[in-house]
Amino acid sequence: MQFPAKMIHSLFLVNSSGDIFLEKHWKSVVSRSVCDYFFEAQERASEPENVPPVIPTPHHYLISVLRHRIYFVAVIQSEVPPLFVIEFLHRVVDTFQDYFGVCTEAAIKDNVVVVYELLEEMLDNGFPLATESNILKELIKPPTILRTVVNTITGSTNVGEQLPTGQLSVVPWRRTGVKYTNNEAYFDVVEEIDAIIDKSGSTITAEIQGVIDACVKLTGMPDLTLSFMNPRLLDDVSFHPCVRFKRWEAERILSFIPPDGNFRLLSYHVSCQNLVAIPVYVKHNITFREGSSQGRFELTLGPKQTMGKGLEAVLISSQLPRGVLNTNLNPSQGTYNFDPVTKLLSWDVGKINPQKLPSLKGSMSLQAGASKPDENPTINIQFKIQQSALSGLKVNRLDMYGEKYKPFKGIKYMTKAGKFQVRT
Amino acid sequence: MSASSAFNDEKGGSSNVGEPEYGHDPASGGIFSSDYKRHDDLKEMLDSNKDSLKLEAMKRIVAMIARGKNASDLFPAVVKNVACKNIEVKKLVYVYLVRYAEEQQDLALLSISTFQRGLKDPNQLIRASALRVLSSIRVTIIVPIMMLAIKEAASDMSPYVRKTAAHAIPKLYSLDPEQKDCLIEVIEKLLADKTTLVAGSVVMAFEEVCPERIDLIHKNYRKLCNLLIDVEEWGQVVIINMLTRYARTQFLNPNMNESLLEEGGGEKAFYGSDNDDDTDDEEDKEEKEKKKTEATAIVKRKPYVMDPDHRLLLRNTKPLLQSRNAAVVMAVAQLYFHLAPKAEVGVIAKALVRLMRSHSEVQYVVLQNVATMSIKRRGMFEPYLKSFYIRSTDPTQIKVLKLEVLTNLANETNISTILREFQTYIKSNDKDFVAATIQAIGRCATNIGEVRDTCLNGLVQLLSNRDELVVAESVVVIKKLLQMQPEQHSDIIKHMAKLTDNIQVPMARASILWLIGEYCEHVPKIAPDVLRKMAKTFTNEEDIVKLQIINLAAKLYLTNSKQTKLLTQYVLNLAKYDQNYDIRDRARFIRQLIVPTDKSGALSKYAKKLFLALKPAPVLESPFKDRDHFQLGSLSHLLNAKAGGYQVLPDWPEAAPDPSVRNVEVPEWTKCSSREKRKEKKADKPFYSDSEGESGPTESADSASDTASGSESGSGSEESGSGSESEESNEDSESASEEDEEEEGKKKKKNVEKIKARKPVPESESEPSSGEEVKKSEKKSKPRIGSSESESEEDEDSESESSESEEEESEEESEEETKKKKKTTASKPPSKPPKKENKKEKKEMSLLDFDDFDPAPSPSQVTPLNNFLSSSLVTDLEGLSLTDNVLSPTTIVPSGNLKTYELLHRITGEGLSVEYCFSRQPFSPDPHMVAVKIQFTNSATSEAKSLHVEDAKLQSGMRIKEFPEIEVLPAGETVSVVMGIDFCDSTQAANFQLCTHTRKFFVSIQPPVGELMMPIFMTENEFKKEQETLLQSLGQLMGMNEITEKLTLEEKCQGEHAVVQRVTTAANLSRVPCGSDKECSPPVPPPPFPIHRFAGKTVTSGSLVLVSVVTKEDGAAQLTVNCEKMVIGTMLVKDILQALTQ
């Protein structure tokens, strides 16, 4: 038997209310009705994110990703690595986001022609063709307000006039002939700390994931090297394809010809538990008494091991048990909000002042007669620490070769909470 | 559904009318209004002369297509614009064409000529785009045109067009499968393409058209492995998946012994299902041990050596674990899982754990695969246990999968932590997840005997949980656990009997009733009471509960009829009139079976046996067990069902297929497979040893035997490679074929011409005699490609044999030219015993000639030091050639072991990549220089001009002999040159600038210490003597020039030839043949402590370097290095140590 149609056959975009608002076929047309299987699965799933990413149907397989409350449903006909499709769909979403700033239904509908042109270039016969944003931008210019206006007046196009030479070059991620008057290269070291803290305040698991996002606007074909003070910290790294792997292996130096514009140079992982300093602590006292329709709720936050930097943009959220009808809480600072329908409590704390620790105290009213909830809510914390990378990673120096000018270089550090949970 | 979505479309369309985002589109008001009259103005716009109107129309049409509207009636109007000048209009017309051409085949033909014109365009991008659209139009009539276009494009100059051709292949194939054979030809051609751009696409075409033609891969295997890292991400995934399948058919299972164990384990589990679990483990161990001994026996019989190509694949894919693309990481992970030795699979765990931080869909797929892997290789993920801990914010499907992994990872040591985690999970809000957790606890309890009681107690506690679902799930799990050892737990059964009053979940009630019925003998008092209660509520129960009530009644009737007879009859009567026919049937059946009547058949005798038979405990096992027969990472694996087009991952072959199929032939060279040739060589040996018999009968025996062992081990190293790093596989094979060539070359000289033509020899000095030059070039160019010493020696032999006479003639002419060189050469062998000194002086004349002919003191020339004693030049040379012939194969061929170093990366070099290696050939213009072979590859699109060396910054004393300027290096071409560097016997780097017509690159070459010497030949006695002299000469200070190190040889390198190979790879030395008794033939047991000796001298100063390795049992060994130059000695010891122990 023959299965000629591998890879991605068609793509449907489905919004949260279950409408197909865009379809694209790379081979023969597949009827929309194939999505019925997807809608079935969608109905069965309790939460939007519980729709299985891979759904088999009698003649096709549906592989979908959910981003920005839009399902991107790819139709395939035969064996293909599911991650291949998933990764590609995410790349499509990233590209849309890159082009339109946001990836919403409205944005896609507004730019439907550009979307179509992009999809046409990204896949050929269902096989990825050009996924590098630098190449795509050469082919199809991202819409800007100015260009839209100009296009309307002059009737010019948003399709690149010159041919995409990037596809031919040995550095496919960088477009050629880049020119800037101000040559600058910015690197943001952003670390996210994922942790589970148990009831008693001890760390169950903690790890740091970092990324180095770059914004490089340099003329010509610069060759950059970035070295760290303490590269040994990096436990597990993954690179943008531009990074020379051998050089890293041998010298722990990042050597690369950067793509033009924004890109993620590197993501890394620091897992050694004792290396991970937990920057915040939570004192909590959440109790429900049997037989009483009242519950106590007390929460105090405090900084811990922040290396002298302040905790900012602190946001607490917690899913309270279903039995909780309402809350009557007093924040010492910031604002709090409780949604009686979703039972979601959120408290926007803001900055933590070490002299005056923020707290949230009060009572919860429970459903009368209902038994006491047997679980205590988990507290999710978000925060930011500016100008510091929690792992202590430091960039040593950045050098540029291959071009004559002197670029402006900047490096910024930031720590954020990733999935930071406190069990109570 | 489609109707309703269409309706939604309408809504969406109308709501968009006149919205500002369409402001630039003056006529957008009606885009989505599906008013077909509107199409008339679209047609009008398309027919107009203004590009802007056309564009507007096309945009609206494309928007219609995007919404799934039918726009096919516009086809004639649109297709006219296919040749439009405006690029965007053109592109949108293409979009339209590809969408509707299938439906309007005849009209679509109108556009074909435009594309055919495009195929001839001088711009590669236009050619490519024309081919792309042409092949995307699914119109059967144009199949021949497409075929032609693809064929043409496949040999296009531009790799981008060739890539497009590769993309077009599957399109044509799906249009017309009849074209398969023709397409396979194209694929075969494109597979041979050397550019990274094409590789991914053509493998994709291969996978779609002819995945079964694995034979097409052979010749391209090594190239694909080497290109892999530079291929674009999507291509990497396809190539890795394909290579996994390939490797499964071509190599041996690296876990041969281990897989035996596994099979044993698998069988065990199958039969063990009805065994009691406690004894299970012990039995398991015993059986494993048995298997182990069996396995080791097998291993002893057939030692496993990994094919170097297998290693190449593993090595070249490993860096891709660092890819940002999850699909690439997964592909590498599955490759390692399916192909790597058990000890190496662990490296993928970290990368997979990293992927778990990606999007939830990625997590979902990765966790499925981790779940499967963690069953087979639990140890791999154990260190990352905590990464699988569950967060309350995870989606349920992720939670359940993580739970699965945690359960698989549970063992005696970590079970307590895992159970503590589970305890938290049970309190979750998410009830599906809680149920899954309870199941998981049940599985942990079955798998780990130690915690069974703890788990059981925990689950019993859950029975008092307020949530009914939790209780019900616990009951079901407890039921399964109790089945394993019911005797000890009658109190739990009692406890559960009480629960029947409270629990309403039917499945749980049914489970309790079944338990009580099954073990009614353990709870003789309670059981009838439960039945009584149940009889009361019978009519209100769910069907599954009713069935179990009947079941319970029957069982009690059989064991305790006195108390329960009436109850049973009551229940059966109730059931007789139940609404459900299953229940009525069951009641009738059971009544017949258990209640003795005169009519009751023969079966009632067996009623007790039927009902109260011992039932096997259910096996709680992972749903991911045995899923690994699907290739991991595949769709089929995820669904646990074969998806269409899935290529089964073959089992390992019993015996490895011929590895030589992967050798790449060198065009216009002999087509003989290297294997055959090698055999021939062996056959040749007697001839050489015979001839040698004339010159030195005593030695001949030694050397003959050496020859045998040498060449055997040589071939061994090539085929099985004992893990040594063969960097350039191409070179590997080349050298192999060259070896063969040389044999022939002795007789036929015409190859000389070929070689010359093939390798433009960059020698700067032009020699007067053309005949000589030809020969010389043969000498120099050949070894440059080839890598082995023995090769060069052979080469030299053949030369000296055939050209003696000429040498004599040319002697005088070229004398002057080479005088300088001679002197240095002549003074070179300081190793010579002093008494020979005079003779050497005399000999200088003869040496001169020799130098003239080939001024470099190549190994073979230096080798016959002893021959300098003879007075006549002719006899001298004769002797030389004869001895050499025999001796040459004694050194192991380190072919393919030439390590290549990167001088300039292609990215830094803007498309120009430069690699260098130490060719270990004498550098002819100056014997005191180390020959460095430099290979330029121009992967840029334009040609590179005037490549030359400039501005060398050298340490004092160091000298450099530049290669002649390369005038033009066309795009995609590769050229090799040789330059000489005198490193002054130091490992200081030589820095210089590499210049093209546009750029200059700073580069540096740093020699490993092993390359600072050249081999010389010695006999064992000479070696010993030299060693002694060396020791005494320098003030009798031991340790001054002798360094001894003890070491333990790595397992793989305990074999004799492995040692020799590693040493010769690490340093450019030649082997000193040892006593004849030692290695004549395999049957003779090896001597207790074989000593391997190697000799050489430093290139610049000619200081002797003597190395000996004494191997003892258990891999212990002692390495001794004697060298006047202490620094060299110390460094050499370090390098050799590393080579031997790595």
Side-chain angles (χ1 to χ4, degrees), chain A residues 36 79 120 158 209 257, chain B residues 1 88 132 357 636 907:
Chain A
D36 293 356
E79 176 62 49
E120 188 70 27
N158 56 348
Q209 291 152 51
I257 292 174
Chain B
M1 187 63 231
E88 190 167 19
R132 207 183 137 195
R357 291 187 286 273
S636 305
I907 292 170

Side-chain angles (χ1 to χ4, degrees), chain A residues 187-191 208-213 226-237 248 252 254 265-270 275 307 387-397 411-415:
Chain A
F187 293 87
D188 290 359
V189 181
V190 182
E191 295 195 339
I208 293 174
Q209 291 152 51
V211 294
I212 299 183
D213 282 333
L226 185 81
S227 62
F228 298 103
M229 307 278 264
N230 38 12
R232 304 258 158 243
L233 271 179
L234 307 181
D235 179 38
D236 181 32
V237 281
W248 170 259
R252 300 272 144 181
L254 293 174
L265 176 64
L266 164 86
S267 42
Y268 61 90
H269 181 222
V270 180
L275 277 179
M307 296 177 291
Q387 288 153 23
S388 134
L390 203 60
S391 66
L393 186 77
K394 271 231 144 45
V395 172
N396 185 20
R397 53 183 295 137
I411 290 173
K412 205 170 81 183
Y413 298 90
M414 181 155 68
T415 301

Side-chain angles (χ1 to χ4, degrees), chain A residues 2-4 6 19-20 22-23 26-29 32 36 39 49-54 56 61 64-67 76 78-84 86-88 90-91 109-110 112-113 116-117 120-121 123-125 127-129 131-132 139 148 152 155 157-161 163-164 167-168 170-171 173 194-196 204-205 207 209 223 235-241 244-245 257 269 273 290 322 371-372 374-375 378 380 419 421 423, chain B residues 1 5 8-9 16 21-22 24 52 55 59 62-63 65-68 86-88 91-92 95 99 102 123-125 132 136 138 160 163 167 170-171 173-174 177 197 204 207-208 233-234 237-238 241 319 322-327 330 350-351 354 357 359 361-366 386-387 389-393 395-397 421 424-425 427-429 465-466 633-636 638-639 642-646 905-908 911 939 941:
Chain A
Q2 186 208 338
F3 294 96
K6 285 200 182 181
D19 303 332
I20 302 171
L22 187 124
E23 64 179 62
W26 282 271
K27 304 179 183 186
S28 307
V29 177
R32 283 183 170 216
D36 293 356
F39 297 131
E49 62 264 31
N50 270 331
V51 179
V54 181
Y61 302 93
S64 62
V65 303
L66 172 66
R67 292 267 300 264
I76 55 170
S78 59
E79 176 62 49
V80 61
L83 268 186
F84 187 97
I86 290 172
E87 183 77 23
F88 176 78
H90 280 299
R91 206 60 73 79
K109 278 182 171 170
D110 291 354
V112 68
V113 174
Y116 237 65
E117 284 167 347
E120 188 70 27
E121 291 300 336
L123 276 185
D124 180 19
N125 193 36
F127 192 81
L129 190 64
T131 49
E132 283 297 338
L139 287 165
T148 313
T152 323
T157 73
N158 56 348
V159 169
E161 290 291 339
L163 293 151
Q167 266 169 322
L168 310 171
V170 281
V171 242
W173 54 84
D194 285 359
I196 302 178
I204 291 180
T205 139
E207 49 191 27
Q209 291 152 51
D223 195 335
D235 179 38
D236 181 32
V237 281
S238 68
F239 301 117
H240 189 276
R244 293 173 186 122
F245 182 72
I257 292 174
H269 181 222
Q273 287 240 346
E290 194 67 70
R322 253 167 292 169
S371 51
K372 125 182 153 70
D374 49 12
E375 89 163 328
T378 311
N380 298 303
K419 294 170 183 165
Q421 298 198 333
R423 292 173 178 168
Chain B
M1 187 63 231
S5 58
N8 285 325
D9 280 345
N16 270 325
E21 56 264 28
Y22 288 97
H24 62 276
S52 58
L55 182 60
K59 280 186 175 172
V62 166
I65 296 174
R67 313 211 105 234
N86 183 309
I87 293 184
E88 190 167 19
K91 284 207 168 177
L92 294 177
V95 169
R99 170 71 179 73
E102 212 171 355
N123 187 320
Q124 47 178 339
L125 289 156
R132 207 183 137 195
S136 297
R138 290 171 298 277
Y160 185 65
K163 180 194 175 80
H167 272 275
K171 299 185 207 169
Y173 180 59
S174 66
L197 211 53
M204 191 261 306
E207 287 284 80
E208 292 212 16
E233 301 160 284
W234 312 107
V237 178
V238 180
N241 280 319
Q322 248 72 53
S323 171
R324 64 168 171 174
N325 187 318
M330 189 66 229
K350 200 187 264 180
R354 183 183 70 229
R357 291 187 286 273
H359 300 284
E361 296 88 7
V362 176
Q363 275 188 51
Y364 177 82
V365 177
V366 171
K386 289 189 171 170
S387 304
Y389 280 4
I390 292 155
R391 290 163 206 280
S392 57
T393 41
T396 311
Q397 52 185 357
E421 268 297 297
T424 332
Y425 302 161
K427 289 184 198 150
S428 166
N429 258 331
N465 193 289
R466 211 174 287 103
S634 67
L635 184 63
S636 305
L638 189 85
L639 301 168
K642 202 167 171 262
Y646 172 71
H905 189 267
R906 68 176 170 81
I907 292 170
T908 336
S939 42
T941 43

Side-chain angles (χ1 to χ4, degrees), chain B residues 1044-1062:
Chain B
T1044 307
E1045 279 285 6
K1046 290 219 166 73
L1047 65 146
T1048 317
L1049 291 175
E1050 191 221 3
E1051 236 173 270
K1052 274 190 228 149
C1053 104
Q1054 289 184 7
E1056 189 218 15
H1057 85 257
V1059 172
V1060 175
Q1061 201 206 3
R1062 290 194 182 205

